[in-house]
Every structure is written in C-alpha cells, then in structure tokens.
PDB file of all heavy atoms in Angstrom:
ATOM      1  N   ASN K   1      10.494  -1.333  -2.600  1.00  0.00           N
ATOM      2  CA  ASN K   1       9.627  -0.244  -3.060  1.00  0.00           C
ATOM      3  C   ASN K   1       8.402  -0.734  -3.830  1.00  0.00           C
ATOM      4  O   ASN K   1       7.607   0.082  -4.309  1.00  0.00           O
ATOM      5  CB  ASN K   1      10.413   0.715  -3.960  1.00  0.00           C
ATOM      6  CG  ASN K   1      11.585   1.338  -3.246  1.00  0.00           C
ATOM      7  OD1 ASN K   1      11.540   1.554  -2.039  1.00  0.00           O
ATOM      8  ND2 ASN K   1      12.651   1.631  -3.988  1.00  0.00           N
ATOM      9  N   LEU K   2       8.236  -2.038  -3.935  1.00  0.00           N
ATOM     10  CA  LEU K   2       7.195  -2.570  -4.803  1.00  0.00           C
ATOM     11  C   LEU K   2       5.789  -2.173  -4.349  1.00  0.00           C
ATOM     12  O   LEU K   2       4.955  -1.768  -5.165  1.00  0.00           O
ATOM     13  CB  LEU K   2       7.307  -4.093  -4.895  1.00  0.00           C
ATOM     14  CG  LEU K   2       6.332  -4.777  -5.853  1.00  0.00           C
ATOM     15  CD1 LEU K   2       6.539  -4.283  -7.277  1.00  0.00           C
ATOM     16  CD2 LEU K   2       6.492  -6.293  -5.788  1.00  0.00           C
ATOM     17  N   LEU K   3       5.520  -2.273  -3.069  1.00  0.00           N
ATOM     18  CA  LEU K   3       4.172  -1.965  -2.588  1.00  0.00           C
ATOM     19  C   LEU K   3       3.798  -0.512  -2.833  1.00  0.00           C
ATOM     20  O   LEU K   3       2.673  -0.206  -3.239  1.00  0.00           O
ATOM     21  CB  LEU K   3       4.038  -2.304  -1.100  1.00  0.00           C
ATOM     22  CG  LEU K   3       3.882  -3.790  -0.760  1.00  0.00           C
ATOM     23  CD1 LEU K   3       3.786  -3.986   0.742  1.00  0.00           C
ATOM     24  CD2 LEU K   3       2.651  -4.373  -1.447  1.00  0.00           C
ATOM     25  N   SER K   4       4.726   0.402  -2.607  1.00  0.00           N
ATOM     26  CA  SER K   4       4.429   1.809  -2.850  1.00  0.00           C
ATOM     27  C   SER K   4       4.245   2.078  -4.338  1.00  0.00           C
ATOM     28  O   SER K   4       3.372   2.851  -4.746  1.00  0.00           O
ATOM     29  CB  SER K   4       5.522   2.704  -2.276  1.00  0.00           C
ATOM     30  OG  SER K   4       6.779   2.411  -2.869  1.00  0.00           O
ATOM     31  N   LEU K   5       5.054   1.414  -5.175  1.00  0.00           N
ATOM     32  CA  LEU K   5       4.924   1.580  -6.616  1.00  0.00           C
ATOM     33  C   LEU K   5       3.588   1.052  -7.124  1.00  0.00           C
ATOM     34  O   LEU K   5       3.011   1.595  -8.072  1.00  0.00           O
ATOM     35  CB  LEU K   5       6.068   0.858  -7.319  1.00  0.00           C
ATOM     36  CG  LEU K   5       6.098   0.917  -8.853  1.00  0.00           C
ATOM     37  CD1 LEU K   5       6.320   2.356  -9.321  1.00  0.00           C
ATOM     38  CD2 LEU K   5       7.176   0.000  -9.408  1.00  0.00           C
ATOM     39  N   SER K   6       3.068   0.033  -6.472  1.00  0.00           N
ATOM     40  CA  SER K   6       1.853  -0.625  -6.933  1.00  0.00           C
ATOM     41  C   SER K   6       0.576   0.139  -6.604  1.00  0.00           C
ATOM     42  O   SER K   6      -0.513  -0.291  -6.994  1.00  0.00           O
ATOM     43  CB  SER K   6       1.756  -2.035  -6.331  1.00  0.00           C
ATOM     44  OG  SER K   6       1.548  -1.957  -4.921  1.00  0.00           O
ATOM     45  N   SER K   7       0.694   1.252  -5.911  1.00  0.00           N
ATOM     46  CA  SER K   7      -0.504   1.974  -5.469  1.00  0.00           C
ATOM     47  C   SER K   7      -1.379   2.433  -6.633  1.00  0.00           C
ATOM     48  O   SER K   7      -2.591   2.583  -6.481  1.00  0.00           O
ATOM     49  CB  SER K   7      -0.107   3.183  -4.621  1.00  0.00           C
ATOM     50  OG  SER K   7       0.709   4.083  -5.367  1.00  0.00           O
ATOM     51  N   GLY K   8      -0.795   2.613  -7.809  1.00  0.00           N
ATOM     52  CA  GLY K   8      -1.581   3.060  -8.954  1.00  0.00           C
ATOM     53  C   GLY K   8      -2.037   1.938  -9.865  1.00  0.00           C
ATOM     54  O   GLY K   8      -2.655   2.211 -10.900  1.00  0.00           O
ATOM     55  N   TRP K   9      -1.756   0.704  -9.513  1.00  0.00           N
ATOM     56  CA  TRP K   9      -2.131  -0.423 -10.362  1.00  0.00           C
ATOM     57  C   TRP K   9      -3.538  -0.906 -10.050  1.00  0.00           C
ATOM     58  O   TRP K   9      -4.014  -0.788  -8.915  1.00  0.00           O
ATOM     59  CB  TRP K   9      -1.144  -1.570 -10.179  1.00  0.00           C
ATOM     60  CG  TRP K   9       0.269  -1.230 -10.536  1.00  0.00           C
ATOM     61  CD1 TRP K   9       0.705  -0.159 -11.272  1.00  0.00           C
ATOM     62  CD2 TRP K   9       1.439  -1.971 -10.169  1.00  0.00           C
ATOM     63  NE1 TRP K   9       2.066  -0.180 -11.383  1.00  0.00           N
ATOM     64  CE2 TRP K   9       2.560  -1.288 -10.720  1.00  0.00           C
ATOM     65  CE3 TRP K   9       1.665  -3.130  -9.443  1.00  0.00           C
ATOM     66  CZ2 TRP K   9       3.860  -1.731 -10.547  1.00  0.00           C
ATOM     67  CZ3 TRP K   9       2.966  -3.584  -9.273  1.00  0.00           C
ATOM     68  CH2 TRP K   9       4.053  -2.884  -9.837  1.00  0.00           C
ATOM     69  N   GLN K  10      -4.191  -1.480 -11.029  1.00  0.00           N
ATOM     70  CA  GLN K  10      -5.527  -2.030 -10.824  1.00  0.00           C
ATOM     71  C   GLN K  10      -5.448  -3.323 -10.015  1.00  0.00           C
ATOM     72  O   GLN K  10      -4.608  -4.180 -10.281  1.00  0.00           O
ATOM     73  CB  GLN K  10      -6.197  -2.309 -12.166  1.00  0.00           C
ATOM     74  CG  GLN K  10      -6.509  -1.067 -12.982  1.00  0.00           C
ATOM     75  CD  GLN K  10      -7.214  -1.406 -14.286  1.00  0.00           C
ATOM     76  OE1 GLN K  10      -7.197  -2.543 -14.731  1.00  0.00           O
ATOM     77  NE2 GLN K  10      -7.840  -0.412 -14.881  1.00  0.00           N
ATOM     78  N   LYS K  11      -6.361  -3.452  -9.071  1.00  0.00           N
ATOM     79  CA  LYS K  11      -6.352  -4.633  -8.202  1.00  0.00           C
ATOM     80  C   LYS K  11      -6.669  -5.924  -8.957  1.00  0.00           C
ATOM     81  O   LYS K  11      -6.250  -7.001  -8.548  1.00  0.00           O
ATOM     82  CB  LYS K  11      -7.362  -4.450  -7.065  1.00  0.00           C
ATOM     83  CG  LYS K  11      -7.006  -3.352  -6.076  1.00  0.00           C
ATOM     84  CD  LYS K  11      -5.829  -3.737  -5.206  1.00  0.00           C
ATOM     85  CE  LYS K  11      -5.578  -2.700  -4.109  1.00  0.00           C
ATOM     86  NZ  LYS K  11      -4.466  -3.071  -3.219  1.00  0.00           N
ATOM     87  N   ASP K  12      -7.440  -5.810 -10.046  1.00  0.00           N
ATOM     88  CA  ASP K  12      -7.795  -7.014 -10.800  1.00  0.00           C
ATOM     89  C   ASP K  12      -7.028  -7.122 -12.110  1.00  0.00           C
ATOM     90  O   ASP K  12      -7.365  -7.932 -12.967  1.00  0.00           O
ATOM     91  CB  ASP K  12      -9.297  -7.067 -11.069  1.00  0.00           C
ATOM     92  CG  ASP K  12      -9.784  -5.896 -11.921  1.00  0.00           C
ATOM     93  OD1 ASP K  12      -9.002  -4.944 -12.126  1.00  0.00           O
ATOM     94  OD2 ASP K  12     -10.938  -5.934 -12.376  1.00  0.00           O
ATOM     95  N   GLY K  13      -5.983  -6.305 -12.269  1.00  0.00           N
ATOM     96  CA  GLY K  13      -5.159  -6.375 -13.477  1.00  0.00           C
ATOM     97  C   GLY K  13      -4.043  -7.394 -13.332  1.00  0.00           C
ATOM     98  O   GLY K  13      -3.633  -7.739 -12.217  1.00  0.00           O
ATOM     99  N   LEU K  14      -3.561  -7.884 -14.445  1.00  0.00           N
ATOM    100  CA  LEU K  14      -2.493  -8.873 -14.436  1.00  0.00           C
ATOM    101  C   LEU K  14      -1.157  -8.218 -14.113  1.00  0.00           C
ATOM    102  O   LEU K  14      -0.777  -7.219 -14.729  1.00  0.00           O
ATOM    103  CB  LEU K  14      -2.422  -9.564 -15.800  1.00  0.00           C
ATOM    104  CG  LEU K  14      -1.254 -10.531 -16.016  1.00  0.00           C
ATOM    105  CD1 LEU K  14      -1.293 -11.673 -15.007  1.00  0.00           C
ATOM    106  CD2 LEU K  14      -1.277 -11.077 -17.442  1.00  0.00           C
ATOM    107  N   ILE K  15      -0.451  -8.813 -13.144  1.00  0.00           N
ATOM    108  CA  ILE K  15       0.886  -8.357 -12.755  1.00  0.00           C
ATOM    109  C   ILE K  15       1.824  -9.562 -12.822  1.00  0.00           C
ATOM    110  O   ILE K  15       1.544 -10.605 -12.217  1.00  0.00           O
ATOM    111  CB  ILE K  15       0.896  -7.775 -11.330  1.00  0.00           C
ATOM    112  CG1 ILE K  15      -0.084  -6.602 -11.224  1.00  0.00           C
ATOM    113  CG2 ILE K  15       2.298  -7.334 -10.937  1.00  0.00           C
ATOM    114  CD1 ILE K  15      -0.332  -6.157  -9.792  1.00  0.00           C
ATOM    115  N   VAL K  16       2.914  -9.431 -13.544  1.00  0.00           N
ATOM    116  CA  VAL K  16       3.899 -10.507 -13.648  1.00  0.00           C
ATOM    117  C   VAL K  16       5.240  -9.986 -13.141  1.00  0.00           C
ATOM    118  O   VAL K  16       5.744  -8.966 -13.622  1.00  0.00           O
ATOM    119  CB  VAL K  16       4.042 -11.015 -15.095  1.00  0.00           C
ATOM    120  CG1 VAL K  16       5.108 -12.108 -15.164  1.00  0.00           C
ATOM    121  CG2 VAL K  16       2.708 -11.533 -15.627  1.00  0.00           C
ATOM    122  N   LEU K  17       5.806 -10.676 -12.159  1.00  0.00           N
ATOM    123  CA  LEU K  17       7.080 -10.304 -11.559  1.00  0.00           C
ATOM    124  C   LEU K  17       8.164 -11.303 -11.991  1.00  0.00           C
ATOM    125  O   LEU K  17       7.894 -12.503 -12.132  1.00  0.00           O
ATOM    126  CB  LEU K  17       6.988 -10.320 -10.032  1.00  0.00           C
ATOM    127  CG  LEU K  17       5.812  -9.568  -9.387  1.00  0.00           C
ATOM    128  CD1 LEU K  17       5.855  -9.751  -7.876  1.00  0.00           C
ATOM    129  CD2 LEU K  17       5.832  -8.098  -9.745  1.00  0.00           C
ATOM    130  N   PHE K  18       9.388 -10.802 -12.165  1.00  0.00           N
ATOM    131  CA  PHE K  18      10.484 -11.730 -12.426  1.00  0.00           C
ATOM    132  C   PHE K  18      11.761 -11.244 -11.747  1.00  0.00           C
ATOM    133  O   PHE K  18      11.916 -10.054 -11.432  1.00  0.00           O
ATOM    134  CB  PHE K  18      10.701 -11.960 -13.928  1.00  0.00           C
ATOM    135  CG  PHE K  18      11.122 -10.754 -14.723  1.00  0.00           C
ATOM    136  CD1 PHE K  18      12.468 -10.497 -14.979  1.00  0.00           C
ATOM    137  CD2 PHE K  18      10.174  -9.883 -15.240  1.00  0.00           C
ATOM    138  CE1 PHE K  18      12.859  -9.400 -15.731  1.00  0.00           C
ATOM    139  CE2 PHE K  18      10.558  -8.784 -15.999  1.00  0.00           C
ATOM    140  CZ  PHE K  18      11.903  -8.537 -16.240  1.00  0.00           C
ATOM    141  N   ASP K  19      12.657 -12.183 -11.507  1.00  0.00           N
ATOM    142  CA  ASP K  19      13.875 -11.922 -10.743  1.00  0.00           C
ATOM    143  C   ASP K  19      15.047 -12.619 -11.416  1.00  0.00           C
ATOM    144  O   ASP K  19      15.011 -12.908 -12.606  1.00  0.00           O
ATOM    145  CB  ASP K  19      13.690 -12.396  -9.294  1.00  0.00           C
ATOM    146  CG  ASP K  19      13.204 -13.849  -9.221  1.00  0.00           C
ATOM    147  OD1 ASP K  19      13.433 -14.604 -10.192  1.00  0.00           O
ATOM    148  OD2 ASP K  19      12.594 -14.232  -8.213  1.00  0.00           O
ATOM    149  N   THR K  20      16.086 -12.886 -10.646  1.00  0.00           N
ATOM    150  CA  THR K  20      17.260 -13.589 -11.175  1.00  0.00           C
ATOM    151  C   THR K  20      17.137 -15.098 -11.053  1.00  0.00           C
ATOM    152  O   THR K  20      18.085 -15.823 -11.337  1.00  0.00           O
ATOM    153  CB  THR K  20      18.524 -13.140 -10.422  1.00  0.00           C
ATOM    154  OG1 THR K  20      18.371 -13.460  -9.019  1.00  0.00           O
ATOM    155  CG2 THR K  20      18.763 -11.653 -10.592  1.00  0.00           C
ATOM    156  N   GLY K  21      15.985 -15.560 -10.605  1.00  0.00           N
ATOM    157  CA  GLY K  21      15.796 -16.976 -10.356  1.00  0.00           C
ATOM    158  C   GLY K  21      15.996 -17.342  -8.909  1.00  0.00           C
ATOM    159  O   GLY K  21      16.106 -18.537  -8.574  1.00  0.00           O
ATOM    160  N   ASP K  22      15.999 -16.329  -8.021  1.00  0.00           N
ATOM    161  CA  ASP K  22      16.274 -16.559  -6.600  1.00  0.00           C
ATOM    162  C   ASP K  22      15.018 -16.614  -5.731  1.00  0.00           C
ATOM    163  O   ASP K  22      15.109 -16.546  -4.503  1.00  0.00           O
ATOM    164  CB  ASP K  22      17.204 -15.468  -6.068  1.00  0.00           C
ATOM    165  CG  ASP K  22      16.604 -14.075  -6.220  1.00  0.00           C
ATOM    166  OD1 ASP K  22      15.478 -13.954  -6.739  1.00  0.00           O
ATOM    167  OD2 ASP K  22      17.275 -13.099  -5.833  1.00  0.00           O
ATOM    168  N   ALA K  23      13.839 -16.723  -6.331  1.00  0.00           N
ATOM    169  CA  ALA K  23      12.545 -16.834  -5.631  1.00  0.00           C
ATOM    170  C   ALA K  23      12.048 -15.525  -5.046  1.00  0.00           C
ATOM    171  O   ALA K  23      11.027 -15.497  -4.362  1.00  0.00           O
ATOM    172  CB  ALA K  23      12.590 -17.902  -4.543  1.00  0.00           C
ATOM    173  N   GLU K  24      12.743 -14.416  -5.290  1.00  0.00           N
ATOM    174  CA  GLU K  24      12.278 -13.124  -4.792  1.00  0.00           C
ATOM    175  C   GLU K  24      10.933 -12.743  -5.418  1.00  0.00           C
ATOM    176  O   GLU K  24      10.060 -12.181  -4.748  1.00  0.00           O
ATOM    177  CB  GLU K  24      13.308 -12.034  -5.085  1.00  0.00           C
ATOM    178  CG  GLU K  24      12.953 -10.659  -4.532  1.00  0.00           C
ATOM    179  CD  GLU K  24      12.861 -10.647  -3.016  1.00  0.00           C
ATOM    180  OE1 GLU K  24      13.702 -11.294  -2.350  1.00  0.00           O
ATOM    181  OE2 GLU K  24      11.943  -9.992  -2.496  1.00  0.00           O
ATOM    182  N   ALA K  25      10.757 -13.050  -6.682  1.00  0.00           N
ATOM    183  CA  ALA K  25       9.507 -12.707  -7.360  1.00  0.00           C
ATOM    184  C   ALA K  25       8.321 -13.429  -6.733  1.00  0.00           C
ATOM    185  O   ALA K  25       7.246 -12.843  -6.569  1.00  0.00           O
ATOM    186  CB  ALA K  25       9.603 -13.039  -8.844  1.00  0.00           C
ATOM    187  N   GLU K  26       8.496 -14.673  -6.356  1.00  0.00           N
ATOM    188  CA  GLU K  26       7.405 -15.408  -5.710  1.00  0.00           C
ATOM    189  C   GLU K  26       7.066 -14.783  -4.364  1.00  0.00           C
ATOM    190  O   GLU K  26       5.896 -14.625  -4.016  1.00  0.00           O
ATOM    191  CB  GLU K  26       7.777 -16.880  -5.537  1.00  0.00           C
ATOM    192  CG  GLU K  26       6.657 -17.709  -4.930  1.00  0.00           C
ATOM    193  CD  GLU K  26       7.002 -19.174  -4.808  1.00  0.00           C
ATOM    194  OE1 GLU K  26       8.156 -19.554  -5.143  1.00  0.00           O
ATOM    195  OE2 GLU K  26       6.136 -19.947  -4.386  1.00  0.00           O
ATOM    196  N   ARG K  27       8.091 -14.419  -3.593  1.00  0.00           N
ATOM    197  CA  ARG K  27       7.843 -13.784  -2.291  1.00  0.00           C
ATOM    198  C   ARG K  27       7.098 -12.460  -2.460  1.00  0.00           C
ATOM    199  O   ARG K  27       6.144 -12.171  -1.722  1.00  0.00           O
ATOM    200  CB  ARG K  27       9.168 -13.562  -1.559  1.00  0.00           C
ATOM    201  CG  ARG K  27       9.833 -14.836  -1.056  1.00  0.00           C
ATOM    202  CD  ARG K  27      10.999 -14.513  -0.128  1.00  0.00           C
ATOM    203  NE  ARG K  27      12.126 -13.933  -0.852  1.00  0.00           N
ATOM    204  CZ  ARG K  27      13.106 -14.655  -1.393  1.00  0.00           C
ATOM    205  NH1 ARG K  27      13.091 -15.973  -1.319  1.00  0.00           N
ATOM    206  NH2 ARG K  27      14.117 -14.058  -2.018  1.00  0.00           N
ATOM    207  N   GLN K  28       7.515 -11.666  -3.423  1.00  0.00           N
ATOM    208  CA  GLN K  28       6.866 -10.378  -3.639  1.00  0.00           C
ATOM    209  C   GLN K  28       5.453 -10.549  -4.205  1.00  0.00           C
ATOM    210  O   GLN K  28       4.561  -9.742  -3.919  1.00  0.00           O
ATOM    211  CB  GLN K  28       7.712  -9.518  -4.575  1.00  0.00           C
ATOM    212  CG  GLN K  28       9.053  -9.096  -3.988  1.00  0.00           C
ATOM    213  CD  GLN K  28       8.890  -8.335  -2.674  1.00  0.00           C
ATOM    214  OE1 GLN K  28       8.003  -7.500  -2.519  1.00  0.00           O
ATOM    215  NE2 GLN K  28       9.760  -8.634  -1.719  1.00  0.00           N
ATOM    216  N   ALA K  29       5.245 -11.596  -4.994  1.00  0.00           N
ATOM    217  CA  ALA K  29       3.912 -11.878  -5.507  1.00  0.00           C
ATOM    218  C   ALA K  29       2.943 -12.179  -4.372  1.00  0.00           C
ATOM    219  O   ALA K  29       1.795 -11.729  -4.372  1.00  0.00           O
ATOM    220  CB  ALA K  29       3.969 -13.050  -6.492  1.00  0.00           C
ATOM    221  N   GLU K  30       3.422 -12.907  -3.375  1.00  0.00           N
ATOM    222  CA  GLU K  30       2.578 -13.195  -2.218  1.00  0.00           C
ATOM    223  C   GLU K  30       2.261 -11.922  -1.435  1.00  0.00           C
ATOM    224  O   GLU K  30       1.143 -11.741  -0.940  1.00  0.00           O
ATOM    225  CB  GLU K  30       3.257 -14.226  -1.332  1.00  0.00           C
ATOM    226  CG  GLU K  30       3.311 -15.625  -1.953  1.00  0.00           C
ATOM    227  CD  GLU K  30       4.033 -16.626  -1.065  1.00  0.00           C
ATOM    228  OE1 GLU K  30       4.544 -16.222  -0.005  1.00  0.00           O
ATOM    229  OE2 GLU K  30       4.081 -17.801  -1.454  1.00  0.00           O
ATOM    230  N   GLN K  31       3.222 -11.012  -1.361  1.00  0.00           N
ATOM    231  CA  GLN K  31       2.972  -9.733  -0.682  1.00  0.00           C
ATOM    232  C   GLN K  31       1.889  -8.939  -1.421  1.00  0.00           C
ATOM    233  O   GLN K  31       1.012  -8.333  -0.786  1.00  0.00           O
ATOM    234  CB  GLN K  31       4.273  -8.918  -0.624  1.00  0.00           C
ATOM    235  CG  GLN K  31       5.352  -9.490   0.273  1.00  0.00           C
ATOM    236  CD  GLN K  31       4.981  -9.445   1.758  1.00  0.00           C
ATOM    237  OE1 GLN K  31       4.184  -8.620   2.186  1.00  0.00           O
ATOM    238  NE2 GLN K  31       5.567 -10.346   2.528  1.00  0.00           N
TER     239      GLN K  31
END
C-alpha cells in the first residue's frame, strides 16, 4: 500500500523507510 499512501507526500521531501532488517525498505525506497 506504500505507493497509494505516498500520493499526498511531497516529491522533494525527506522519506525514511525501515523494516525488520530484511531489505524490504531498500526495495520500497527504489520503488
């Protein structure tokens, strides 16, 4: 649901993602 949730975020604003340490945050950051 991350992409749909992000629709209201600023494109040039700072976004920091975190996970359980399983690299999901890095994958979603690339998306």
Side-chain angles (χ1 to χ4, degrees):
N1 300 329
L2 184 61
L3 283 179
S4 60
L5 180 65
S6 68
S7 60
W9 299 344
Q10 293 182 343
K11 293 289 187 178
D12 62 349
L14 174 60
I15 302 169
V16 178
L17 310 177
F18 64 95
D19 52 24
T20 60
D22 60 0
E24 183 63 40
E26 183 178 3
R27 289 190 290 270
Q28 294 303 319
E30 290 178 357
Q31 292 292 335

